[in-house]
């Protein structure tokens, strides 16, 4: 599984986050550069978005995200409500493409969308890396999108014993596994709370892929993915498999 190095230095990587709102005042996030999109300019901190942001780029005493100090481009597509539809996701991806943010973390799942198909393909061809949670609907669930698009890097979650969590989806779209259980992440207002799920493994993979990746570029994107694959431990059956990637 892909895991952040404890001694990883701060970087100036730029990472996109499509999620719910981020509490930028949290001690683990207070030093970050955060550019925001959505909600008509309102900041609506939420538990999920704050946790994922901290695992992506947070840094505090006793806590470190996968790419500490990275600049976050945070698109809130929930705005404190149910929200989160694929139309809002498409608008967020369009913004991130215009800002030329090379790596994008997406912890949102749903059915296949014609609206997204062309956009995802175009971003992939132009050298963006889209990294998405495979979902927590269980091993018998059908593939969930956007992780199931062939152009997207699907991420599953393992526990401290490197066992896939029981609720994780399976399938050929699983590319990497990373820690996603028995760990803590930032919560709005300060402090840390337990998290579990593929949503929280995804920022670890996205953060590692973002290292040294300053702008969208197809060759750099391919090299980043190959580098992470070479560093990863091969869990499960030898070679790629539907459980661990």
């Amino acid at each position: 599984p892909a895991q952040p190095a404890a001694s990883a230095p701060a970087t100036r990587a730029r990472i996109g986050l499509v999620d719910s709102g981020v509490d930028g005042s949290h001690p683990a996030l207070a030093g970050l550069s955060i550019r925001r999109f959505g909600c008509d300019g309102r900041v609506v901190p939420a538990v999920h978005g704050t946790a994922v942001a901290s695992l992506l780029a947070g840094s505090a005493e006793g806590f470190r995200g996968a790419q500490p100090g990275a600049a976050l481009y945070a698109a809130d597509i929930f705005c404190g409500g149910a929200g989160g539809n694929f139309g809002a996701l498409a608008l967020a991806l369009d913004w991130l493409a215009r800002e030329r943010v090379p790596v994008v973390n997406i912890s949102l799942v749903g059915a296949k969308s014609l609206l997204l198909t062309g956009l995802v393909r175009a971003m992939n061809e132009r050298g963006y890396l889209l990294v998405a949670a495979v979902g927590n609907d269980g091993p018998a669930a059908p593939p969930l999108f956007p992780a199931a698009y062939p152009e997207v890097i699907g991420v599953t979650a393992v526990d401290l014993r490197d066992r896939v969590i029981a609720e994780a989806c399976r399938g050929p779209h699983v590319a990497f596994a990373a820690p996603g259980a028995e760990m803590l992440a930032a919560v709005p207002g300060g402090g840390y709370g337990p998290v579990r799920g593929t949503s929280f493994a995804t920022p670890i993979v996205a953060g590692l892929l973002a290292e040294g990746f300053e702008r969208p570029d197809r060759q750099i994107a391919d090299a980043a993915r190959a580098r992470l694959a070479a560093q990863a431990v091969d869990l499960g059956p030898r070679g790629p498999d539907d459980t661990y990637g």
Side-chain angles (χ1 to χ4, degrees), residues 13 45 53 64-65 119 138 149 171 187-188 194:
R64 183 180 292 271
L119 179 56
Y149 285 115
V187 297

Side-chain angles (χ1 to χ4, degrees), residues 10-199:
T11 81
R12 294 184 180 179
R14 297 189 306 141
I15 308 175
L17 171 61
V18 183
D19 211 293
S20 53
V22 174
D23 180 5
S25 68
H26 190 283
L29 300 170
L32 295 184
S33 168
I34 303 179
R35 294 191 61 180
R36 300 178 186 268
F37 175 85
C39 308
D40 297 321
R42 294 179 295 120
V43 178
V44 189
V47 171
H48 195 277
T50 300
V52 174
S54 71
L55 294 168
L56 263 177
S59 181
E61 184 177 356
F63 182 88
R64 183 180 292 271
Q67 198 62 236
L72 283 185
Y73 287 68
D76 184 351
I77 62 173
F78 291 88
C79 302
N85 61 67
F86 275 179
L89 173 57
L91 289 174
L93 290 177
D94 179 70
W95 171 65
L96 292 165
R98 285 186 278 114
E99 295 291 336
R100 294 183 58 77
V101 180
V103 178
V104 180
N105 185 101
I106 307 169
S107 294
L108 173 73
V109 297
K112 189 173 184 179
S113 162
L114 291 176
L115 178 65
L116 281 182
T117 301
L119 179 56
V120 166
R121 183 176 298 126
M123 291 185 73
N124 177 73
E125 290 173 352
R126 293 170 185 168
Y128 294 83
L129 283 179
L130 305 182
V131 188
V134 298
N136 307 310
D137 286 7
L144 298 174
F145 294 83
Y149 285 115
E151 299 87 359
V152 174
I153 297 173
V155 180
T156 192
V158 294
D159 63 19
L160 291 179
R161 289 161 293 283
D162 289 340
R163 299 179 302 194
V164 70
I165 61 173
E167 63 268 35
C169 294
R170 315 287 203 271
H173 57 294
V174 178
F176 290 102
E182 299 167 291
M183 60 184 186
L184 300 176
V187 297
Y192 300 87
V195 292
R196 178 184 174 94
T198 60
S199 287

